[in-house]
């Protein structure tokens, strides 16, 4: 099998400039390019919406449909997956425990920099969030469990859920280090729980 993935494979990166520098993006882009994967990056500085930031990430890697198909089918060479793991780990190390300044109507707020992987499967939008993961070892474990989880999800017939706000994922995944499992919850249920707590 060739060690070079299909040139149509793309890994997106939504980020806020500051913590990630242009040099970091060059490193990520170069590493992926060696394995036929193109990095598409978009600086969303100033474009984070306060009402949805609980369900989105400051730094998000977006797996496109052809890349997802290659990952879940095992068609993509192991070198390509290692390249993806490398760029996500590089970013994890950069953003872990870091803060960024967010401009709001009330002034400048310091917020936690969050990181995740977003992917669409069966017309549902999944956001696997890495915030709260304590160590590089736990991060590796969490990352390696995402592909088998996506394989399982893709093989199931899951009802497509309608979202009132397009930017909000359908499901949020958080990693439980005690059980070493991803806990995937419907975003609508998380919102209902937040409303319930705020009304108590």
């Amino acid at each position: 099998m060739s060690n070079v993935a299909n040139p149509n494979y793309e890994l997106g990166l939504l980020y806020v400039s500051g913590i990630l520098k242009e040099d970091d993006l060059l490193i990520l882009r170069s590493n992926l390019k060696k394995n036929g994967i193109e990095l598409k990056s978009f600086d969303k500085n100033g474009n984070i919406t306060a009402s949805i930031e609980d369900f989105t990430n400051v730094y998000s890697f977006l797996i496109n449909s052809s890349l997802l198909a290659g990952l879940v089918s095992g068609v993509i060479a192991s070198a390509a997956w290692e390249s993806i793991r490398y760029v996500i780990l590089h970013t994890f190390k950069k953003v872990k425990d870091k803060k960024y300044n967010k401009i709001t109507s009330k002034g400048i707020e310091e917020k936690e920099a969050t990181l995740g992987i977003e992917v669409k499967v069966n017309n549902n939008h999944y956001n696997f969030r890495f915030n709260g993961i304590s160590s590089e070892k736990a991060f590796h474990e969490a990352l390696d469990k995402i592909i088998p989880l996506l394989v399982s999800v893709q093989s199931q017939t899951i009802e497509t859920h309608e979202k009132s706000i397009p930017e909000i994922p359908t499901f949020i995944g958080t990693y439980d280090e005690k059980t070493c499992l991803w806990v995937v919850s419907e975003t609508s249920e998380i919102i209902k729980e937040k409303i319930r707590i705020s009304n108590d």
Side-chain angles (χ1 to χ4, degrees), residues 37-198:
I37 302 170
E38 183 180 0
L39 179 69
K40 298 273 193 175
S41 58
F42 174 70
D43 183 356
K44 60 180 184 176
N45 213 1
N47 292 314
I48 299 176
T49 306
S51 61
I52 66 169
E53 65 185 6
D54 285 347
F55 310 106
T56 59
N57 313 304
V58 179
Y59 297 86
S60 270
F61 282 98
L62 314 174
I63 299 177
N64 77 346
S65 57
S66 60
L67 181 56
L68 174 64
L71 289 171
V72 299
S73 67
V75 170
I76 289 183
S78 60
W81 173 237
E82 287 306 312
S83 180
I84 293 169
R85 291 173 88 255
Y86 169 83
V87 300
I88 298 173
L89 176 61
H90 180 93
T91 308
F92 175 75
K93 289 177 178 178
K94 283 280 182 178
V95 307
K96 182 171 168 47
D97 300 323
K98 294 290 194 306
K99 306 282 186 182
Y100 74 101
N101 291 328
K102 180 171 187 262
I103 299 172
T104 69
S105 59
K106 298 176 182 177
I108 298 176
E109 292 181 20
E110 192 174 64
K111 309 285 283 185
E112 178 188 1
T114 54
L115 171 68
I117 294 176
E118 297 186 52
V119 61
K120 290 188 178 177
V121 182
N122 296 338
N123 295 319
N124 287 312
H125 180 175
Y126 289 80
N127 181 6
F128 297 96
R129 308 189 80 187
F130 293 108
N131 36 316
I133 292 180
S134 64
S135 67
E136 190 175 321
K137 179 177 181 289
F139 173 84
H140 279 291
E141 292 171 351
L143 187 57
D144 285 339
K145 290 178 186 293
I146 289 178
I147 299 303
L149 180 58
L150 291 174
V151 170
S152 172
V153 166
Q154 195 173 55
S155 67
Q156 299 170 14
T157 303
I158 297 179
E159 176 187 351
T160 299
H161 294 255
E162 296 297 327
K163 303 189 295 294
S164 57
I165 304 174
E167 295 87 357
I168 294 183
T170 323
F171 295 96
I172 304 287
T174 54
Y175 190 69
D176 185 333
E177 290 187 43
K178 290 181 181 177
T179 62
C180 298
L181 294 172
W182 281 97
V183 178
V184 179
S185 306
E186 272 193 64
T187 307
S188 60
E189 294 304 313
I190 297 172
I191 292 171
K192 288 177 187 175
E193 181 64 13
K194 284 178 176 288
I195 292 170
R196 186 192 67 78
I197 291 170
S198 67

